[in-house]
Amino acid sequence: MLRYRGNKKAFAWTYEKDGFMWVNVKVDPEWRDLWRNTYDAVIPGYHQNKIHWNSIKLDDSIPDAEVKRMIAESYDLIIGKRKS
């Protein structure tokens, strides 16, 4: 799990499933379906809120720059939130 130190909110979860590494990222619902429709390896968040999280299968079908962009967008979504 990757968290922002300032508020302890998670922005990425990594795990192994079905022989692949995966990363779950927080996503703006406005962009959620774009990622899911663009890449078969992006699905609704595994074991997380399907509205606000996507799971990315790291199977080399998504360019590294796009995976990094999704992780960066996830980070940007959580940095403004205060610890509850």
Side-chain angles (χ1 to χ4, degrees):
M1 173 175 49
L2 300 173
R3 295 188 300 173
Y4 174 61
R5 181 179 232 167
N7 62 14
K8 307 248 195 269
K9 297 285 183 181
F11 64 93
W13 301 72
T14 59
Y15 56 95
E16 187 274 330
K17 178 180 174 291
D18 301 328
F20 290 96
M21 289 302 299
W22 292 72
V23 61
N24 284 6
V25 293
K26 192 163 182 85
V27 64
D28 185 330
E30 186 176 316
W31 293 100
R32 173 195 65 222
D33 295 329
L34 170 76
W35 293 118
R36 293 178 190 176
N37 293 330
T38 303
Y39 298 108
D40 290 336
V42 177
I43 62 171
Y46 179 70
H47 283 297
Q48 290 188 281
N49 183 307
K50 310 292 188 240
I51 295 170
H52 298 285
W53 290 85
N54 277 343
S55 293
I56 307 164
K57 182 179 182 182
L58 302 177
D59 63 357
D60 293 325
S61 66
I62 304 173
D64 289 346
E66 292 294 287
V67 173
K68 290 176 184 178
R69 180 177 171 188
M70 287 185 260
I71 294 169
E73 288 175 1
S74 180
Y75 177 83
D76 288 344
L77 284 171
I78 62 92
I79 62 170
K81 301 200 177 195
R82 304 246 183 246
K83 182 180 173 187
S84 35

